Amino acid sequence: MPAGLAVEAVHCYSLLHDDLPAMDDDDLRRGQPTVHVAFDEATAILAGDALLTHAFALLADETCHPDPTVRIRLVAELAAGSGVGGMVGGQMRDIEGEKGGFSNGDIEVMQAMKTGALIRASVRMGAILGGADPRALSAMTAYAQAAGRAFQLADDILDVTATSEAMGKATGKDAGKGKQTLVAQMGLEAARRELDTIVNDAVMALRTFGPRADGLRATARYFASRNS
Amino acid sequence: MPAGLAVEAVHCYSLLHDDLPAMDDDDLRRGQPTVHVAFDEATAILAGDALLTHAFALLADETCHPDPTVRIRLVAELAAGSGVGGMVGGQMRDIEGEKGGFSNGDIEVMQAMKTGALIRASVRMGAILGGADPRALSAMTAYAQAAGRAFQLADDILDVTATSEAMGKATGKDAGKGKQTLVAQMGLEAARRELDTIVNDAVMALRTFGPRADGLRATARYFASRNS
């Protein structure tokens, strides 16, 4: 639970900062006013900073896991997934990409960093907590990378197809801002076929685990089939 | 060195975010344009986020210390000093305090959190890396708390007495914003006497360490005597 809370704290902090006027400038999140709208920008910046810091406090506490070797591995995973080589670096590339042209390859690298890295970290953290050996950790990592790609591609598809009401946030923003997504580049139908392929990759990566990985299989399918 | 870099990364991130228009709105830092002026606000927010995250990556890496028990203690110290119970919480109280009245006690708590907690964490991290026993760690903590108070009080005095050129940042801002500081409340001369007392407290806390603590004694004196 503390490790799950730590991932959730990082995810929430990223939403608070991404919604700021200087970033995506969103007024609505999960159907509620964003933090800088409900309070003010300084509060949103500091609440994000506090959540990010608290994530590492949660992992460092012995209630997370009795073995400090496990806890420090979790810290390393979360920092790698959310830092400049992961989520934050992906966000910066996304902003830079809006200014200039992005090839398909650039978009995939950006999305792997911005969205995929934290999904990858959270899956690997679960595997580490579960005592995965190197081979199992490698399989879980392959699953996580495919699941992360599925999540992001589904998000880009929903931005085109879903209503703001269903999503609890503004939609149609990518096209409105001329944002380069895979859906914009390959078209909606090709993107849906690609999504099916990626979900299949994710499920295949779990083939050695048997029924105990059913939850992860369902998660990957949910990423692709969700309506919001 | 990695632990020192981690503290420096947290300190730099706090400056990047504090200088933002929604916070202190400063254009000048260390005699250079602030990050949001030289680049833009999104870059300053993300660079701060990346630095904060990287601090924990540095501590988690085995190059920091071979013993994971030591490394996880460093993570816990840095998170406690910089999070909602420390630096970020103090910054939020500072902003709230500017809106309403602050008593001397409120200011001391706010300053102990905003500035003192990170100084305390950095001293304790050094003590932990040096293998301090509980008694030595307690003495180092007492030193750090006094040194932190000295640093902040000297800062408030310099805001009244120093030039912007010497400080490399805007001065006279506290009074201009009607900001409640101990100098504003007790007057300049009483503040200077208080500063001498606090530095003496810091030095006294180190009395059991002999000459090997001379660097820390000089640091506390430097905090009080610096001109910038």
Side-chain angles (χ1 to χ4, degrees):
Chain A
M1 181 58 80
L5 292 172
V7 173
E8 184 63 19
V10 167
H11 183 224
C12 284
Y13 119 75
S14 76
L15 301 180
L16 263 65
H17 284 189
D18 282 0
D19 288 340
L20 285 166
M23 307 273 283
D24 286 352
D25 195 14
D26 276 313
D27 294 341
L28 197 62
R29 170 71 70 177
R30 296 174 183 165
Q32 302 282 333
T34 47
V35 174
H36 69 271
V37 169
F39 301 92
D40 55 39
E41 278 186 60
T43 302
I45 293 166
L46 289 171
D49 294 344
L51 281 165
L52 173 55
T53 310
H54 190 59
F56 293 104
L58 285 163
L59 297 180
D61 194 89
E62 62 187 12
T63 56
C64 177
H65 193 280
D67 184 350
T69 307
V70 169
R71 299 207 300 279
I72 204 72
R73 283 182 73 191
L74 299 180
V75 169
E77 287 291 338
L78 188 60
S82 57
V84 74
M87 185 182 72
V88 167
Q91 180 67 18
M92 192 73 222
R93 281 174 187 239
D94 194 12
I95 292 171
E96 291 296 306
E98 281 179 27
K99 297 176 189 167
F102 243 176
S103 72
N104 275 11
D106 294 335
I107 294 172
E108 291 207 40
V109 170
M110 178 273 284
Q111 290 185 341
M113 292 171 73
K114 184 180 169 183
T115 313
L118 188 59
I119 292 174
R120 182 178 184 275
S122 64
V123 170
R124 284 174 57 91
M125 288 166 71
I128 290 165
L129 282 166
D133 62 24
R135 185 174 298 195
L137 186 58
S138 173
M140 292 280 275
T141 305
Y143 160 79
Q145 281 168 336
R149 288 179 65 209
F151 183 91
Q152 183 61 49
L153 187 52
D155 217 49
D156 291 345
I157 292 171
L158 284 168
D159 188 72
V160 175
T161 61
T163 64
S164 169
E165 198 178 342
M167 292 291 280
K169 65 178 183 180
T171 57
K173 289 196 62 162
D174 296 347
K177 291 161 74 178
K179 194 159 167 174
Q180 301 286 306
T181 71
L182 288 181
V183 177
Q185 295 208 341
M186 65 171 58
L188 191 56
E189 284 317 305
R192 281 184 167 139
R193 283 193 301 275
E194 174 74 5
L195 180 55
D196 286 341
T197 304
I198 298 170
V199 171
N200 195 50
D201 290 346
V203 171
M204 284 299 290
L206 301 170
R207 62 191 174 279
T208 60
F209 293 110
R212 66 192 170 127
D214 279 348
L216 292 171
R217 293 183 187 97
T219 302
R221 291 196 186 99
Y222 169 74
F223 280 177
S225 65
R226 69 203 163 99
N227 298 314
S228 65
Chain B
M1 180 59 79
L5 291 172
V7 173
E8 185 63 19
V10 167
H11 183 225
C12 284
Y13 119 74
S14 76
L15 300 180
L16 262 65
H17 284 189
D18 283 359
D19 288 340
L20 285 166
M23 306 273 282
D24 286 353
D25 196 12
D26 276 311
D27 294 341
L28 197 64
R29 171 71 69 178
R30 296 175 181 165
Q32 302 281 334
T34 47
V35 174
H36 68 271
V37 170
F39 302 92
D40 54 39
E41 278 186 61
T43 302
I45 293 166
L46 290 171
D49 294 344
L51 281 165
L52 173 56
T53 310
H54 191 58
F56 293 105
L58 285 164
L59 297 180
D61 194 89
E62 62 187 10
T63 55
C64 178
H65 193 279
D67 184 351
T69 307
V70 168
R71 298 207 300 278
I72 204 72
R73 283 182 73 191
L74 299 180
V75 170
E77 288 289 339
L78 188 60
S82 56
V84 75
M87 187 181 72
V88 167
Q91 180 69 16
M92 192 72 222
R93 281 174 187 238
D94 193 13
I95 292 170
E96 291 297 305
E98 280 178 27
K99 296 176 188 165
F102 242 177
S103 72
N104 275 12
D106 294 335
I107 296 173
E108 291 206 39
V109 169
M110 177 274 284
Q111 291 186 341
M113 293 171 73
K114 183 180 170 184
T115 314
L118 188 58
I119 292 173
R120 182 178 183 274
S122 63
V123 169
R124 284 173 58 91
M125 289 166 72
I128 290 165
L129 282 167
D133 63 24
R135 184 175 298 194
L137 186 57
S138 173
M140 293 280 275
T141 305
Y143 160 79
Q145 280 168 335
R149 288 179 64 209
F151 183 90
Q152 184 61 50
L153 187 51
D155 217 50
D156 290 345
I157 292 171
L158 284 168
D159 187 72
V160 176
T161 61
T163 64
S164 168
E165 198 178 342
M167 293 291 280
K169 65 178 182 180
T171 58
K173 290 197 61 162
D174 295 346
K177 291 162 74 177
K179 194 157 167 176
Q180 302 285 304
T181 70
L182 288 180
V183 177
Q185 295 208 342
M186 64 170 59
L188 191 56
E189 284 317 305
R192 282 183 165 140
R193 283 193 302 274
E194 175 73 5
L195 181 55
D196 286 341
T197 303
I198 298 169
V199 171
N200 195 49
D201 290 347
V203 171
M204 285 299 289
L206 301 170
R207 61 190 174 279
T208 60
F209 293 110
R212 67 192 169 126
D214 279 349
L216 292 171
R217 293 183 187 98
T219 301
R221 291 195 185 100
Y222 169 74
F223 280 178
S225 65
R226 69 204 162 97
N227 299 314
S228 67

